[in-house]
mmCIF file of all heavy atoms in Angstrom:
data_model
loop_
_atom_site.group_PDB
_atom_site.id
_atom_site.type_symbol
_atom_site.label_atom_id
_atom_site.label_comp_id
_atom_site.label_asym_id
_atom_site.label_seq_id
_atom_site.Cartn_x
_atom_site.Cartn_y
_atom_site.Cartn_z
ATOM 1 N N ILE A 1 88.490 26.897 -27.894
ATOM 2 C CA ILE A 1 88.153 26.010 -26.774
ATOM 3 C C ILE A 1 88.652 26.666 -25.494
ATOM 4 O O ILE A 1 89.840 26.962 -25.370
ATOM 5 C CB ILE A 1 88.801 24.623 -26.943
ATOM 6 C CG1 ILE A 1 88.395 23.997 -28.284
ATOM 7 C CG2 ILE A 1 88.439 23.713 -25.772
ATOM 8 C CD1 ILE A 1 89.151 22.714 -28.607
ATOM 9 N N GLN A 2 87.740 26.865 -24.556
ATOM 10 C CA GLN A 2 88.095 27.491 -23.290
ATOM 11 C C GLN A 2 87.725 26.564 -22.141
ATOM 12 O O GLN A 2 86.583 26.124 -22.054
ATOM 13 C CB GLN A 2 87.375 28.828 -23.145
ATOM 14 C CG GLN A 2 87.770 29.791 -24.237
ATOM 15 C CD GLN A 2 87.095 31.119 -24.089
ATOM 16 O OE1 GLN A 2 87.297 31.814 -23.099
ATOM 17 N NE2 GLN A 2 86.290 31.473 -25.060
ATOM 18 N N ARG A 3 88.705 26.291 -21.306
ATOM 19 C CA ARG A 3 88.429 25.518 -20.092
ATOM 20 C C ARG A 3 87.760 26.457 -19.105
ATOM 21 O O ARG A 3 88.244 27.568 -18.866
ATOM 22 C CB ARG A 3 89.745 24.976 -19.520
ATOM 23 C CG ARG A 3 89.546 24.054 -18.345
ATOM 24 C CD ARG A 3 90.863 23.533 -17.841
ATOM 25 N NE ARG A 3 91.608 24.598 -17.174
ATOM 26 C CZ ARG A 3 92.919 24.578 -16.984
ATOM 27 N NH1 ARG A 3 93.648 23.584 -17.419
ATOM 28 N NH2 ARG A 3 93.506 25.572 -16.349
ATOM 29 N N VAL A 4 86.646 26.016 -18.548
ATOM 30 C CA VAL A 4 85.851 26.890 -17.695
ATOM 31 C C VAL A 4 85.401 26.172 -16.428
ATOM 32 O O VAL A 4 85.403 24.945 -16.356
ATOM 33 C CB VAL A 4 84.610 27.429 -18.447
ATOM 34 C CG1 VAL A 4 85.026 28.240 -19.676
ATOM 35 C CG2 VAL A 4 83.660 26.321 -18.836
ATOM 36 N N THR A 5 84.990 26.978 -15.445
ATOM 37 C CA THR A 5 84.375 26.413 -14.239
ATOM 38 C C THR A 5 82.865 26.505 -14.309
ATOM 39 O O THR A 5 82.169 25.925 -13.486
ATOM 40 C CB THR A 5 84.875 27.136 -12.970
ATOM 41 O OG1 THR A 5 84.589 28.534 -13.091
ATOM 42 C CG2 THR A 5 86.368 26.909 -12.771
ATOM 43 N N ARG A 6 82.345 27.262 -15.308
ATOM 44 C CA ARG A 6 80.913 27.310 -15.597
ATOM 45 C C ARG A 6 80.727 27.896 -16.982
ATOM 46 O O ARG A 6 81.541 28.698 -17.428
ATOM 47 C CB ARG A 6 80.134 28.100 -14.556
ATOM 48 C CG ARG A 6 80.554 29.539 -14.427
ATOM 49 C CD ARG A 6 79.832 30.315 -13.337
ATOM 50 N NE ARG A 6 78.639 30.932 -13.885
ATOM 51 C CZ ARG A 6 77.437 30.869 -13.337
ATOM 52 N NH1 ARG A 6 77.265 30.227 -12.205
ATOM 53 N NH2 ARG A 6 76.412 31.450 -13.883
ATOM 54 N N GLY A 7 79.653 27.488 -17.642
ATOM 55 C CA GLY A 7 79.358 28.008 -18.968
ATOM 56 C C GLY A 7 77.869 27.949 -19.249
ATOM 57 O O GLY A 7 77.242 26.900 -19.077
ATOM 58 N N TYR A 8 77.310 29.078 -19.618
ATOM 59 C CA TYR A 8 75.881 29.173 -19.933
ATOM 60 C C TYR A 8 75.683 30.005 -21.183
ATOM 61 O O TYR A 8 76.443 30.940 -21.439
ATOM 62 C CB TYR A 8 75.096 29.827 -18.777
ATOM 63 C CG TYR A 8 74.973 28.950 -17.573
ATOM 64 C CD1 TYR A 8 75.927 28.986 -16.571
ATOM 65 C CD2 TYR A 8 73.919 28.055 -17.460
ATOM 66 C CE1 TYR A 8 75.836 28.161 -15.467
ATOM 67 C CE2 TYR A 8 73.812 27.224 -16.353
ATOM 68 C CZ TYR A 8 74.770 27.289 -15.363
ATOM 69 O OH TYR A 8 74.683 26.459 -14.277
ATOM 70 N N VAL A 9 74.647 29.690 -21.931
ATOM 71 C CA VAL A 9 74.217 30.509 -23.046
ATOM 72 C C VAL A 9 72.795 30.954 -22.745
ATOM 73 O O VAL A 9 71.953 30.166 -22.306
ATOM 74 C CB VAL A 9 74.320 29.763 -24.396
ATOM 75 C CG1 VAL A 9 73.456 28.528 -24.442
ATOM 76 C CG2 VAL A 9 73.989 30.687 -25.550
ATOM 77 N N HIS A 10 72.565 32.251 -22.935
ATOM 78 C CA HIS A 10 71.250 32.837 -22.721
ATOM 79 C C HIS A 10 70.727 33.267 -24.086
ATOM 80 O O HIS A 10 71.361 34.075 -24.771
ATOM 81 C CB HIS A 10 71.336 34.043 -21.780
ATOM 82 C CG HIS A 10 72.011 33.711 -20.482
ATOM 83 N ND1 HIS A 10 71.379 33.061 -19.459
ATOM 84 C CD2 HIS A 10 73.285 33.926 -20.073
ATOM 85 C CE1 HIS A 10 72.231 32.905 -18.449
ATOM 86 N NE2 HIS A 10 73.388 33.417 -18.802
ATOM 87 N N ILE A 11 69.579 32.732 -24.464
ATOM 88 C CA ILE A 11 69.000 32.974 -25.774
ATOM 89 C C ILE A 11 67.677 33.705 -25.586
ATOM 90 O O ILE A 11 66.856 33.288 -24.763
ATOM 91 C CB ILE A 11 68.781 31.649 -26.527
ATOM 92 C CG1 ILE A 11 70.098 30.880 -26.580
ATOM 93 C CG2 ILE A 11 68.232 31.895 -27.920
ATOM 94 C CD1 ILE A 11 69.931 29.400 -26.760
ATOM 95 N N GLU A 12 67.490 34.782 -26.338
ATOM 96 C CA GLU A 12 66.273 35.573 -26.214
ATOM 97 C C GLU A 12 65.033 34.707 -26.316
ATOM 98 O O GLU A 12 64.882 33.931 -27.257
ATOM 99 C CB GLU A 12 66.230 36.632 -27.318
ATOM 100 C CG GLU A 12 66.310 38.034 -26.781
ATOM 101 C CD GLU A 12 66.249 39.046 -27.885
ATOM 102 O OE1 GLU A 12 67.336 39.389 -28.374
ATOM 103 O OE2 GLU A 12 65.140 39.479 -28.229
ATOM 104 N N GLY A 13 64.153 34.814 -25.319
ATOM 105 C CA GLY A 13 62.897 34.101 -25.339
ATOM 106 C C GLY A 13 62.987 32.624 -24.989
ATOM 107 O O GLY A 13 61.998 31.907 -25.048
ATOM 108 N N GLU A 14 64.174 32.151 -24.639
ATOM 109 C CA GLU A 14 64.353 30.736 -24.288
ATOM 110 C C GLU A 14 65.032 30.626 -22.931
ATOM 111 O O GLU A 14 65.601 31.578 -22.427
ATOM 112 C CB GLU A 14 65.211 30.019 -25.343
ATOM 113 C CG GLU A 14 64.595 29.980 -26.722
ATOM 114 C CD GLU A 14 65.446 29.189 -27.701
ATOM 115 O OE1 GLU A 14 66.079 28.211 -27.288
ATOM 116 O OE2 GLU A 14 65.476 29.566 -28.878
ATOM 117 N N ASP A 15 64.981 29.440 -22.356
ATOM 118 C CA ASP A 15 65.679 29.187 -21.107
ATOM 119 C C ASP A 15 67.184 29.192 -21.339
ATOM 120 O O ASP A 15 67.655 28.911 -22.441
ATOM 121 C CB ASP A 15 65.276 27.828 -20.525
ATOM 122 C CG ASP A 15 63.841 27.810 -20.038
ATOM 123 O OD1 ASP A 15 63.316 28.880 -19.674
ATOM 124 O OD2 ASP A 15 63.248 26.724 -20.019
ATOM 125 N N SER A 16 67.938 29.467 -20.284
ATOM 126 C CA SER A 16 69.390 29.367 -20.348
ATOM 127 C C SER A 16 69.786 27.898 -20.394
ATOM 128 O O SER A 16 69.101 27.034 -19.867
ATOM 129 C CB SER A 16 70.023 30.031 -19.128
ATOM 130 O OG SER A 16 69.704 31.397 -19.111
ATOM 131 N N ARG A 17 70.913 27.644 -21.042
ATOM 132 C CA ARG A 17 71.436 26.282 -21.144
ATOM 133 C C ARG A 17 72.893 26.300 -20.721
ATOM 134 O O ARG A 17 73.622 27.223 -21.073
ATOM 135 C CB ARG A 17 71.365 25.783 -22.585
ATOM 136 C CG ARG A 17 69.997 25.849 -23.204
ATOM 137 C CD ARG A 17 70.059 25.543 -24.672
ATOM 138 N NE ARG A 17 68.787 25.875 -25.295
ATOM 139 C CZ ARG A 17 68.617 26.025 -26.583
ATOM 140 N NH1 ARG A 17 69.631 25.886 -27.406
ATOM 141 N NH2 ARG A 17 67.435 26.318 -27.067
ATOM 142 N N GLY A 18 73.308 25.285 -19.993
ATOM 143 C CA GLY A 18 74.706 25.225 -19.630
ATOM 144 C C GLY A 18 74.948 24.448 -18.367
ATOM 145 O O GLY A 18 74.122 23.632 -17.958
ATOM 146 N N PHE A 19 76.083 24.725 -17.725
ATOM 147 C CA PHE A 19 76.535 23.905 -16.609
ATOM 148 C C PHE A 19 77.369 24.712 -15.625
ATOM 149 O O PHE A 19 77.957 25.728 -15.977
ATOM 150 C CB PHE A 19 77.364 22.731 -17.133
ATOM 151 C CG PHE A 19 78.592 23.162 -17.902
ATOM 152 C CD1 PHE A 19 79.800 23.384 -17.256
ATOM 153 C CD2 PHE A 19 78.535 23.362 -19.279
ATOM 154 C CE1 PHE A 19 80.922 23.789 -17.952
ATOM 155 C CE2 PHE A 19 79.653 23.777 -19.991
ATOM 156 C CZ PHE A 19 80.848 23.993 -19.330
ATOM 157 N N SER A 20 77.420 24.220 -14.393
ATOM 158 C CA SER A 20 78.360 24.688 -13.382
ATOM 159 C C SER A 20 79.289 23.527 -13.085
ATOM 160 O O SER A 20 78.846 22.391 -12.999
ATOM 161 C CB SER A 20 77.635 25.110 -12.109
ATOM 162 O OG SER A 20 76.931 26.299 -12.324
ATOM 163 N N GLY A 21 80.551 23.814 -12.936
ATOM 164 C CA GLY A 21 81.545 22.771 -12.713
ATOM 165 C C GLY A 21 82.515 22.746 -13.873
ATOM 166 O O GLY A 21 82.301 23.409 -14.883
ATOM 167 N N PRO A 22 83.593 21.981 -13.768
ATOM 168 C CA PRO A 22 84.613 21.962 -14.817
ATOM 169 C C PRO A 22 84.052 21.459 -16.144
ATOM 170 O O PRO A 22 83.321 20.480 -16.192
ATOM 171 C CB PRO A 22 85.673 20.997 -14.295
ATOM 172 C CG PRO A 22 85.357 20.747 -12.874
ATOM 173 C CD PRO A 22 83.924 21.100 -12.651
ATOM 174 N N GLY A 23 84.398 22.154 -17.206
ATOM 175 C CA GLY A 23 83.988 21.763 -18.550
ATOM 176 C C GLY A 23 84.646 22.679 -19.559
ATOM 177 O O GLY A 23 85.631 23.354 -19.248
ATOM 178 N N VAL A 24 84.111 22.711 -20.783
ATOM 179 C CA VAL A 24 84.652 23.577 -21.820
ATOM 180 C C VAL A 24 83.528 24.318 -22.537
ATOM 181 O O VAL A 24 82.430 23.789 -22.701
ATOM 182 C CB VAL A 24 85.527 22.827 -22.853
ATOM 183 C CG1 VAL A 24 86.784 22.259 -22.205
ATOM 184 C CG2 VAL A 24 84.754 21.746 -23.578
ATOM 185 N N VAL A 25 83.851 25.543 -22.944
ATOM 186 C CA VAL A 25 83.003 26.312 -23.840
ATOM 187 C C VAL A 25 83.743 26.351 -25.166
ATOM 188 O O VAL A 25 84.938 26.659 -25.212
ATOM 189 C CB VAL A 25 82.747 27.739 -23.319
ATOM 190 C CG1 VAL A 25 82.047 28.582 -24.385
ATOM 191 C CG2 VAL A 25 81.918 27.704 -22.046
ATOM 192 N N VAL A 26 83.036 25.998 -26.237
ATOM 193 C CA VAL A 26 83.627 25.972 -27.574
ATOM 194 C C VAL A 26 82.836 26.907 -28.474
ATOM 195 O O VAL A 26 81.621 26.765 -28.616
ATOM 196 C CB VAL A 26 83.621 24.544 -28.165
ATOM 197 C CG1 VAL A 26 84.244 24.543 -29.563
ATOM 198 C CG2 VAL A 26 84.349 23.567 -27.251
ATOM 199 N N LEU A 27 83.539 27.870 -29.065
ATOM 200 C CA LEU A 27 82.966 28.748 -30.076
ATOM 201 C C LEU A 27 83.424 28.196 -31.419
ATOM 202 O O LEU A 27 84.628 28.010 -31.635
ATOM 203 C CB LEU A 27 83.448 30.178 -29.872
ATOM 204 C CG LEU A 27 83.239 30.740 -28.464
ATOM 205 C CD1 LEU A 27 83.869 32.124 -28.343
ATOM 206 C CD2 LEU A 27 81.778 30.766 -28.092
ATOM 207 N N LEU A 28 82.484 27.895 -32.317
ATOM 208 C CA LEU A 28 82.793 27.188 -33.557
ATOM 209 C C LEU A 28 82.452 28.027 -34.770
ATOM 210 O O LEU A 28 81.318 28.498 -34.914
ATOM 211 C CB LEU A 28 82.006 25.875 -33.605
ATOM 212 C CG LEU A 28 82.290 24.980 -34.799
ATOM 213 C CD1 LEU A 28 83.678 24.360 -34.686
ATOM 214 C CD2 LEU A 28 81.227 23.896 -34.914
ATOM 215 N N GLY A 29 83.432 28.229 -35.640
ATOM 216 C CA GLY A 29 83.223 28.925 -36.900
ATOM 217 C C GLY A 29 83.436 27.986 -38.064
ATOM 218 O O GLY A 29 84.352 27.160 -38.051
ATOM 219 N N VAL A 30 82.596 28.123 -39.084
ATOM 220 C CA VAL A 30 82.665 27.275 -40.273
ATOM 221 C C VAL A 30 82.963 28.159 -41.470
ATOM 222 O O VAL A 30 82.385 29.242 -41.616
ATOM 223 C CB VAL A 30 81.330 26.517 -40.479
ATOM 224 C CG1 VAL A 30 81.373 25.670 -41.743
ATOM 225 C CG2 VAL A 30 81.012 25.655 -39.261
ATOM 226 N N THR A 31 83.865 27.697 -42.347
ATOM 227 C CA THR A 31 84.204 28.447 -43.552
ATOM 228 C C THR A 31 83.854 27.625 -44.795
ATOM 229 O O THR A 31 83.491 26.445 -44.699
ATOM 230 C CB THR A 31 85.697 28.840 -43.558
ATOM 231 O OG1 THR A 31 85.935 29.799 -44.592
ATOM 232 C CG2 THR A 31 86.615 27.643 -43.742
ATOM 233 N N HIS A 32 83.978 28.266 -45.933
ATOM 234 C CA HIS A 32 83.701 27.616 -47.212
ATOM 235 C C HIS A 32 84.636 26.423 -47.397
ATOM 236 O O HIS A 32 85.805 26.487 -47.050
ATOM 237 C CB HIS A 32 83.912 28.603 -48.360
ATOM 238 C CG HIS A 32 83.186 29.892 -48.150
ATOM 239 N ND1 HIS A 32 81.872 30.051 -48.450
ATOM 240 C CD2 HIS A 32 83.595 31.076 -47.629
ATOM 241 C CE1 HIS A 32 81.489 31.274 -48.152
ATOM 242 N NE2 HIS A 32 82.520 31.922 -47.636
ATOM 243 N N GLY A 33 84.140 25.360 -47.914
ATOM 244 C CA GLY A 33 84.975 24.191 -48.173
ATOM 245 C C GLY A 33 85.095 23.235 -47.002
ATOM 246 O O GLY A 33 85.680 22.165 -47.142
ATOM 247 N N ASP A 34 84.580 23.596 -45.834
ATOM 248 C CA ASP A 34 84.605 22.660 -44.708
ATOM 249 C C ASP A 34 83.676 21.500 -45.008
ATOM 250 O O ASP A 34 82.656 21.646 -45.696
ATOM 251 C CB ASP A 34 84.163 23.347 -43.412
ATOM 252 C CG ASP A 34 85.257 24.199 -42.786
ATOM 253 O OD1 ASP A 34 86.427 24.076 -43.201
ATOM 254 O OD2 ASP A 34 84.940 24.992 -41.885
ATOM 255 N N GLY A 35 84.041 20.337 -44.461
ATOM 256 C CA GLY A 35 83.236 19.135 -44.679
ATOM 257 C C GLY A 35 83.474 18.124 -43.573
ATOM 258 O O GLY A 35 83.903 18.471 -42.465
ATOM 259 N N GLN A 36 83.248 16.868 -43.889
ATOM 260 C CA GLN A 36 83.323 15.808 -42.890
ATOM 261 C C GLN A 36 84.707 15.684 -42.256
ATOM 262 O O GLN A 36 84.821 15.423 -41.060
ATOM 263 C CB GLN A 36 82.892 14.463 -43.485
ATOM 264 C CG GLN A 36 82.654 13.396 -42.448
ATOM 265 C CD GLN A 36 81.546 13.765 -41.475
ATOM 266 O OE1 GLN A 36 80.450 14.136 -41.888
ATOM 267 N NE2 GLN A 36 81.808 13.662 -40.183
ATOM 268 N N ALA A 37 85.760 15.881 -43.031
ATOM 269 C CA ALA A 37 87.118 15.773 -42.478
ATOM 270 C C ALA A 37 87.339 16.805 -41.377
ATOM 271 O O ALA A 37 87.933 16.494 -40.334
ATOM 272 C CB ALA A 37 88.163 15.940 -43.581
ATOM 273 N N GLN A 38 86.851 18.029 -41.578
ATOM 274 C CA GLN A 38 87.012 19.079 -40.571
ATOM 275 C C GLN A 38 86.137 18.797 -39.354
ATOM 276 O O GLN A 38 86.562 19.017 -38.215
ATOM 277 C CB GLN A 38 86.675 20.448 -41.168
ATOM 278 C CG GLN A 38 87.705 20.954 -42.159
ATOM 279 C CD GLN A 38 87.656 20.254 -43.508
ATOM 280 O OE1 GLN A 38 86.617 19.753 -43.940
ATOM 281 N NE2 GLN A 38 88.794 20.197 -44.178
#
């Protein structure tokens, strides 16, 4: 979790998505055995 002043994702062949202003960028990884509790 990173506190940011702007965050955008650029995806090949698609429009950019994101925001300017205070917010957070979250990079999420999932491992084996993760479920609803996680």
Side-chain angles (χ1 to χ4, degrees):
I1 304 172
Q2 299 181 62
R3 186 179 71 201
V4 300
T5 57
R6 60 183 270 131
Y8 289 90
V9 61
H10 306 281
I11 305 156
E12 245 181 270
E14 297 183 34
D15 291 333
S16 298
R17 305 171 191 163
F19 60 89
S20 289
V24 295
V25 171
V26 180
L27 307 175
L28 184 71
V30 178
T31 192
H32 309 277
D34 281 347
Q36 193 61 51
Q38 289 75 27

